[in-house]
Amino acid sequence: MSLDITGVCPAPFAQVYEAFEANFDPASPGGGELGARFTLAVDGEVVVDLMAGYADRKHQVAFGPDTLTPLFSTTKAIAALLVARLVDQGKLTYDQTVASVWPEFAQAGKQDVTVGQVMSHQDGLSGFLHEVDPAIWFDWEATTAKLAAMAPLWPIGSASGYHPVTFGFTAGEIFRRVDGRSMGTALREDLAQPLGLDIWIGLPDSEHARCADLMRPTAFPKFGEINDAVKAAFMTKWAAPGGRGTGEWRRAGIPSANGHATAHSLARLMGALASGGTLDGVKILSPETMELARAERIAGQDLVLPYQISWGAGFMRNTPNFFYGPTADAFGHSGWGGSCAFADPKTGVSGSYVMNRQGNELIGDPRAVGLIKAAYASL
């Protein structure tokens, strides 16, 4: 197999290089990469940064350092960080009600729902069970108004039920009501531009040419027991934005689903959370607020994803699945198709994996898990 792997990988991390190379083998558990990148940082400093393959389906454009990859739900880690920054600034608490900043949300019995419950997928709004126009997701005001009026699909606080798309609108509207800006604008102004991070929620047209083509999964995910929460989240024709084309999807600022980034920038940003809360000398989050953000808020069988999950305030905690290495302190988020970003404050390790050939694992893609396992074995 002829493969041009570029980037940085010091000799002690040879196992990572081998795992990255193996992921391009069509016989590998992930079915072979089209293009991919894996970046690892220790104490905020990038130590491994590997990329290979193609950004396009025609195999004409190399997957390079400037290639942007759609993150899908890995975007939720960024949304969680942005909300945590409001908590850090004293503008919000996880224990206050959503209705205290967004009064309309109190409809249909949701008056006591807390910010922490929304951030940990306990508010019962995993999706719209009854038919809506799939284009509603491109209309922020219409979507947030419908969510505010909606009755929960299960008793609030009784269980988590993963919100693949709606999370971005509830968390994003909480943020907007407190901060006054969209999450995408705040990300750009407060973090991405000052720190040179190639991370976007709502991608301007000027950056579209850098985006990797996606190859969709060849098999459907396995959801387990089908209930109303699963149907609303994933199994209707309107469960995801539709009808507007790729360009409109990239432009839309949906903080749960349509972030774009490089693995290098994600690993650096998560590196702040793995090493005391600063990046390049700039405070991203205090250690105290980071502990609040990653603290367990609910754990057990998720009603939507067929996994036992421990949720922080928007972050997936590493227990009990250990998708992000061997330590219980690690946390992060994974995205549909295989991407992920994580931080481990116990070891100071952070990392990110992105790719454009999507797998069908809902979380814990074997390509990412194998790379992270090799990285820890190399430390």
Side-chain angles (χ1 to χ4, degrees):
M1 177 175 60
S2 176
L3 181 66
D4 183 16
I5 300 176
T6 61
V8 177
C9 189
F13 293 94
Q15 291 184 62
V16 180
Y17 188 99
E18 293 167 1
F20 186 77
E21 183 178 43
N23 281 346
F24 282 82
D25 184 344
S28 68
E33 301 281 23
L34 174 59
R37 187 174 186 180
F38 178 69
T39 307
L40 184 77
V42 178
D43 296 330
E45 297 295 326
V46 170
V47 294
V48 174
D49 186 24
L50 294 171
M51 66 206 84
Y54 297 96
D56 66 322
R57 289 187 290 267
K58 295 181 179 179
H59 293 202
Q60 294 177 348
V61 180
F63 198 107
D66 295 326
T67 299
L68 287 173
T69 309
L71 302 176
F72 293 93
S73 287
T74 298
T75 313
K76 293 181 175 71
I78 305 165
L81 173 58
L82 290 168
V83 169
R85 282 170 57 82
L86 292 183
V87 174
D88 210 31
Q89 295 159 9
K91 298 177 180 178
L92 187 70
T93 72
Y94 291 121
D95 294 330
Q96 74 185 86
T97 65
V98 175
S100 66
V101 299
W102 179 6
E104 299 90 333
F105 193 82
Q107 297 175 74
K110 303 194 300 300
Q111 65 276 2
D112 295 325
V113 175
T114 67
V115 173
Q117 286 174 322
V118 163
M119 297 303 292
S120 51
H121 302 266
Q122 298 184 64
D123 58 340
L125 307 179
S126 61
F128 299 130
L129 189 59
H130 303 294
E131 185 172 2
V132 296
D133 183 343
I136 191 175
W137 301 107
F138 296 101
D139 185 334
W140 186 272
E141 298 294 340
T143 301
T144 53
K146 192 166 184 65
L147 287 168
M150 181 179 164
L153 294 175
W154 64 87
I156 295 162
S158 63
S160 69
Y162 182 59
H163 295 32
V165 182
T166 55
F167 175 92
F169 290 88
T170 49
E173 184 65 6
I174 291 167
F175 185 92
R176 190 181 72 85
R177 296 281 177 132
V178 174
D179 182 87
R181 298 173 293 173
S182 70
M183 280 187 164
T185 298
L187 169 66
R188 184 176 67 253
E189 294 178 350
D190 298 349
L191 297 173
Q193 288 180 341
L195 294 164
L197 298 174
D198 203 358
I199 306 175
W200 309 78
I201 298 175
L203 191 68
D205 288 2
S206 59
E207 311 302 320
H208 288 201
R210 298 195 287 132
C211 291
D213 292 344
L214 290 178
M215 293 189 69
R216 304 292 187 181
T218 56
F220 289 108
K222 297 177 181 178
F223 287 105
E225 179 184 349
I226 304 303
N227 54 40
D228 282 351
V230 176
K231 290 177 185 176
F234 284 113
M235 307 190 79
T236 68
K237 294 179 180 179
W238 55 88
R244 294 289 181 87
T246 301
E248 195 69 17
W249 162 252
R250 290 171 177 164
R251 291 182 203 104
I254 304 177
S256 50
N258 81 329
H260 289 74
T262 66
H264 186 276
S265 287
L266 283 174
R268 290 188 66 224
L269 181 60
M270 296 302 285
L273 304 184
S275 54
T278 63
L279 178 62
D280 296 344
V282 177
K283 177 187 171 185
I284 304 298
L285 200 65
S286 71
E288 295 78 15
T289 302
M290 187 189 72
E291 290 301 315
L292 285 175
R294 73 183 189 91
E296 183 173 275
R297 297 188 174 270
I298 192 166
Q301 179 60 52
D302 193 84
L303 294 180
V304 173
L305 296 177
Y307 296 94
Q308 297 276 329
I309 299 179
S310 172
W311 287 106
F315 294 110
M316 284 185 175
R317 292 161 50 83
N318 206 22
T319 56
N321 299 298
F322 291 92
F323 293 138
Y324 309 129
T327 70
D329 288 344
F331 62 97
H333 216 289
S334 301
W336 179 57
S339 68
C340 72
F342 72 96
D344 180 359
K346 182 175 182 179
T347 62
V349 170
S350 65
S352 178
Y353 164 76
V354 301
M355 75 300 126
N356 58 347
R357 183 192 293 275
Q358 296 186 295
N360 71 328
E361 297 288 342
L362 291 166
I363 52 176
D365 188 284
R367 296 167 293 179
V369 170
L371 285 165
I372 296 169
K373 181 178 179 180
Y376 274 92
S378 301
L379 294 174

